[in-house]
Structure formats: C-alpha cells, structure tokens
Amino acid sequence: MTFSKGLISSGESFRNQEWNILGEPYRPIQMTPSSFLFHAEFAPGSGVPAHFHETQDEILHILEGELQFEMEGQTIIAGMGDTVTLPMGIAHALFNRAATRAEALVVVSPTGKFHDYMAAISGLTDPAEVIRLGAEHDITFV
C-alpha cells in the first residue's frame, strides 16, 4: 500500500468504504502503514467508552460541535477547531454530551490493525462483541 498523491474530494472514502459503528457513521479517507485518516460523526448522547490503543497514537481534530474527553482523571471539552492528542497506552473515553451532532477528523498512527478492526465492527449492534474484537486488534477497553 502506497501513499497516493492528489485530491480526495469531499465525501469520497478509502476504497469506497463507509462504516456504521454502533449507529454512528465513520468514513475512512486515506490509509498507509504509517497513518490512517477517517471522518467520524457523533450524535448527541453517543460516545466511545474508556479504552486504550496498545500500538497507536490517536489525534482528533474537531470539525463541528463539541466532544468531551476523559483521560487520566481529567475532562477535556474540545470544540470546533480544537485538536486532541491521545498517546498510545493512555486510556481515554469520548462523548458527545451536547445537544447537536459533532464531527471530527481522526488520525491513528501507525495504522496497525485499526482499519481491520473498524471494518470488523461495522454494522455490529452488540457492544460486548465490539469489545471482544478490540482485544484481537490491539485495543483494550477498560
């Protein structure tokens, strides 16, 4: 897999993939072995429970709305234009506790098993299975 040059138009996705992760839309945009970029949407009241990535750093750039992050006993509120960095091995959770939808661009680096994990959990409705598959893809829920 090589990094391709050029434009990725608005709404396009990597290999025309779109995922539904526990009811929320995710769209992969670009992937190489060293990094994976995707777009994520979070409806009011949605979120991702506490977990950590064993082999990846994660960066979220908020495009719209507001997300609340919990990490190492701290709560961080990030709004449009803010960027949140989550180093590998650090447990974190994120929630949309606002009344409006939130959107973010997310980068994980290196890619590792993350793309395969997202593809595996797309369409699942059982959180226990999402957690179980996380363990197979270097993501530990706490």
Side-chain angles (χ1 to χ4, degrees):
M1 165 181 4
T2 60
F3 189 70
S4 59
K5 63 182 176 185
L7 173 70
I8 300 169
S9 296
S10 177
E12 286 187 16
S13 65
F14 181 74
R15 297 183 180 159
N16 296 315
Q17 296 174 340
E18 293 199 20
W19 299 321
N20 179 314
I21 311 296
L22 294 173
E24 302 303 325
Y26 287 71
R27 183 173 34 88
I29 298 172
Q30 181 60 278
M31 184 174 77
T32 70
S34 61
S35 65
F36 176 45
L37 172 68
F38 62 97
H39 178 269
E41 294 183 33
F42 303 91
S46 69
V48 180
H51 66 284
F52 64 91
H53 303 257
E54 298 171 24
T55 59
Q56 291 117 354
D57 296 318
E58 184 174 14
I59 302 165
L60 290 95
H61 181 76
I62 312 305
L63 298 172
E64 183 178 316
E66 182 178 278
L67 290 173
Q68 179 177 319
F69 294 81
E70 297 171 1
M71 170 176 51
E72 296 188 317
Q74 281 189 296
T75 298
I76 299 167
I77 306 292
M80 186 173 73
D82 292 336
T83 300
V84 177
T85 57
L86 304 163
M88 71 179 76
I90 303 291
H92 57 278
L94 65 107
F95 304 97
N96 180 356
R97 295 204 164 110
T100 59
R101 178 185 65 159
E103 293 184 27
L105 283 177
V106 184
V107 175
V108 294
S109 179
T111 300
K113 299 176 183 177
F114 194 80
H115 174 274
D116 294 341
Y117 173 64
M118 297 296 276
I121 66 171
S122 181
L124 294 180
T125 58
D126 179 8
E129 182 65 2
V130 171
I131 290 168
R132 186 190 72 74
L133 286 168
E136 293 179 7
H137 293 88
D138 299 334
I139 298 170
T140 301
F141 287 84
V142 294

